[in-house]
Amino acid sequence: MAALDPSVTVAVVGAGAMGQGIAQVAAQAGHPVLLVDSRPGAAEAAVDSIAKALTALVEKGKRTAVERDAIVGRLRAVDGLPDLAPAGLVVEAIVEDPDVKRRLFAELEGIVGEGAILATNTSSLSVTAIGAGVRRPERLAGLHFFNPAPLMALVEIVSGLATDAAVLDTLADTARAWGKSPVRCRSTPGFIVNRVARPFYAEGLRLVQEQAADPATIDAVAREAGGFRMGPFELMDLIGHDVNFAVTRSVHAAYFGDPRFQPSLIQQELVEAGRLGRKTGRGFYDHGPGAPKPVPHSAEPAPRPESVIMQGDLGPAASLAGLLRAAGIAVEEAPGPGVLVVDGVTLALTDGRTATARAAEDGIAPLVLFDLALDYAKATRVALAPADGTPADAVAAAAGLFQALGKAVSVIDDAPGLVVMRTVAMLANEAADAAMQGVASAADIDTAMTRGVNYPLGPLAWADRIGLPHVLGVLDALARTYGEDRYRASALLRRKISGGNRFHG
């Protein structure tokens, strides 16, 4: 089946922010749109809000007045569900309560035609369970938009156990015709994005809990070295801790307490205190008027090295050799385990072990580990972690090397995997497990994470770039350090390595 013809009427049930956004997207694509809400006047207010948003675009030159009028002309607020009879597609965007959704769809079945598609915009509830309440569950699927729907490209097309393949094809083609990037997934807890993204928050929260660094420093490293648009703490403040914590608890419970999704006591305390982030003026950060901007920890300027010894292949950090030479630092190449030596101090890319354990196991002292960067040439900050007992002048020598490359340096406590490396390894691991379990394809998982939450690379593509053996080594080291099943490596990751394969290509 092809995309729905623009002449097909689309109905949206629920005129909140998400329902309003979906209605706007459908109307912009040329469909007549019926909007209904159980709250008196809410649908009319939503149409007015869409008109105002489009007027603002006209004033900015991004839309013409003719386009605005045509879009608004296709929107109609109606009084009740019986008015939705002409719809060929009904999208539900109401409260996240499975019983309420089941009752709604059971009622809609008696109103719309036999050929109409029923879609739920649920972000995490089981599409299969919702479909169990209708007579023909084969025509019900998930159509999960991301907020704000007019701006966010991603749409998750979610299949319940009974969903007809032709319905999924039509929804995917329709979403594409609406200018969106559809990805397909099975109805499993969290679908793609809300499942795979959990480690982004969880590892940051654990680093703070272990006092490895403060939130502002972790956020800065994630942005300036990892290339993420926002760090985990500023993103949680933006989302709202009540929402983020509830999703984590939901996914954790749905997977029967799997420790990979264990909620954080720190976040729970913020929720209990009513510090929900931007919407309450306080979360990890103070968002009140005139509040100072969070400042990450940065090392004091240190002496610039004249030369460095590069022993062996630096692997994911191989580009550092060219950057050092371009900065006028002499690089002497020698065989070895893939480390840099400056003024007698060994610098090594983290492999998941703590610097203290690695120094003892490999017989290296003094040792300072450095973190992964998405692109060392573009990174403006790098995190370092010295082994316990490392002299201050050795830490300064390590900092001076990266400062000579124009990077700010954040020295954190000796946390295994540091910040970016452990986060990316855990994201890739969760993505690999989702692929192995048939939740979605590797390509759709990476698309979902880049288009849905703006990651700089899909987790599986990032793992390919780092090298799957290095990612596995980091995960295994984390598992040994913590002794927790939370860090168990995906069987698919191990299989890819054994077969000499990658996730892409």
Side-chain angles (χ1 to χ4, degrees):
M1 296 177 71
L4 292 175
D5 189 272
S7 64
V8 173
T9 297
V10 174
V12 179
V13 183
M18 185 58 77
Q20 178 179 311
I22 296 169
Q24 180 179 334
V25 169
Q28 287 176 174
H31 293 269
V33 177
L34 303 174
L35 187 59
V36 66
D37 195 286
S38 60
R39 299 166 297 161
E44 291 82 358
V47 173
D48 290 342
S49 180
I50 293 171
K52 290 177 182 176
L54 292 170
T55 297
L57 293 177
V58 171
E59 292 170 351
K60 294 177 181 177
K62 296 182 178 180
R63 287 274 183 187
T64 67
V66 172
E67 289 173 330
R68 175 200 59 199
D69 294 345
I71 294 167
V72 174
R74 288 191 283 268
L75 293 163
R76 183 160 68 93
V78 297
D79 296 328
L81 295 182
D83 295 315
L84 306 184
L89 168 63
V90 182
V91 184
E92 164 273 311
I94 62 173
V95 62
E96 286 287 85
D97 183 316
D99 292 331
V100 175
K101 293 180 188 291
R102 275 192 290 264
R103 288 195 296 269
L104 170 66
F105 283 117
E107 187 173 354
L108 284 168
E109 269 199 312
I111 296 171
V112 300
E114 287 293 311
I117 294 174
L118 305 177
T120 172
N121 184 59
T122 181
S123 60
S124 59
L125 296 177
S126 168
V127 173
T128 297
I130 294 170
V134 300
R135 179 172 47 84
R136 290 184 52 211
E138 67 273 11
R139 64 167 167 169
L140 186 143
L143 189 66
H144 179 213
F145 288 80
F146 287 74
N147 197 28
L151 299 180
M152 296 299 288
L154 185 71
V155 177
E156 291 178 323
I157 311 296
V158 187
S159 62
L161 190 61
T163 307
D164 191 292
V167 169
L168 299 170
D169 289 344
T170 297
L171 289 176
D173 289 344
T174 299
R176 197 172 290 111
W178 291 2
K180 300 301 180 183
S181 297
V183 294
R184 301 186 187 218
C185 60
R186 287 196 302 110
S187 179
T188 53
F191 308 148
I192 302 174
V193 172
N194 278 328
R195 171 183 176 167
V196 175
R198 292 348 293 164
F200 184 69
Y201 313 110
E203 295 310 307
L205 287 162
R206 172 159 277 200
L207 286 166
V208 166
Q209 185 174 327
E210 295 174 355
Q211 303 182 74
D214 61 279
T217 299
I218 294 171
D219 278 349
V221 171
R223 286 193 317 271
E224 299 172 36
F228 292 97
R229 186 159 309 176
M230 300 180 77
F233 300 98
E234 54 192 346
L235 183 53
M236 285 185 281
D237 270 12
L238 175 64
I239 294 168
H241 292 285
D242 52 341
V243 174
N244 190 264
F245 185 61
V247 171
T248 301
R249 290 189 64 182
S250 172
V251 173
H252 182 247
Y255 280 102
F256 306 108
D258 189 325
R260 279 225 290 262
F261 307 110
Q262 183 177 0
S264 165
L265 291 173
I266 293 176
Q267 192 171 40
Q268 176 178 265
E269 188 174 35
L270 285 177
V271 173
E272 290 172 344
R275 296 185 177 186
L276 307 182
R278 290 190 184 184
K279 60 187 172 185
T280 61
R282 188 74 180 267
F284 281 105
Y285 303 117
D286 184 352
H287 300 280
K293 184 178 180 180
V295 178
H297 171 76
S298 298
E300 294 294 325
R304 169 192 174 90
E306 295 299 322
S307 62
V308 61
I309 302 171
M310 183 177 70
Q311 297 181 348
D313 184 358
L314 299 181
S319 63
L320 286 175
L323 296 176
L324 289 165
R325 291 189 176 99
I329 298 172
V331 178
E332 177 187 339
E333 296 187 30
V339 300
L340 296 170
V341 180
V342 55
D343 296 334
V345 180
T346 299
L347 285 78
L349 175 66
T350 177
D351 64 1
R353 291 180 287 175
T354 63
T356 303
R358 188 166 173 178
E361 292 167 6
D362 296 354
I364 302 172
L367 174 65
V368 178
L369 300 183
F370 60 89
D371 203 358
L372 178 70
L374 174 68
D375 182 337
Y376 284 100
K378 296 179 180 178
T380 57
R381 181 177 299 270
V382 174
L384 304 181
D388 290 351
T390 300
D393 60 349
V395 178
L401 182 141
F402 284 99
Q403 289 169 347
L405 300 181
K407 320 296 183 190
V409 172
S410 291
V411 179
I412 70 171
D413 197 28
D414 188 15
L418 281 83
V419 177
V420 179
M421 180 67 85
R422 75 186 277 167
T423 299
V424 171
M426 286 294 283
L427 289 170
N429 195 45
E430 197 54 52
D433 246 20
M436 181 177 69
Q437 294 164 11
V439 174
S441 68
D444 275 358
I445 290 170
D446 275 356
T447 296
M449 303 314 290
T450 54
R451 304 305 296 271
V453 280
N454 294 312
Y455 286 1
L457 273 179
L460 298 176
W462 210 337
D464 284 343
R465 177 189 285 193
I466 296 168
L468 301 190
H470 195 98
V471 172
L472 177 61
V474 170
L475 293 168
D476 284 346
L478 289 167
R480 289 193 303 271
T481 298
Y482 288 106
E484 297 177 24
D485 199 40
R486 169 189 181 115
Y487 296 102
R488 69 185 185 275
S490 169
L492 180 59
L493 176 61
R494 294 188 186 278
R495 194 176 88 205
K496 289 285 185 183
I497 293 170
S498 297
N501 297 321
R502 297 157 51 90
F503 286 104
H504 299 287

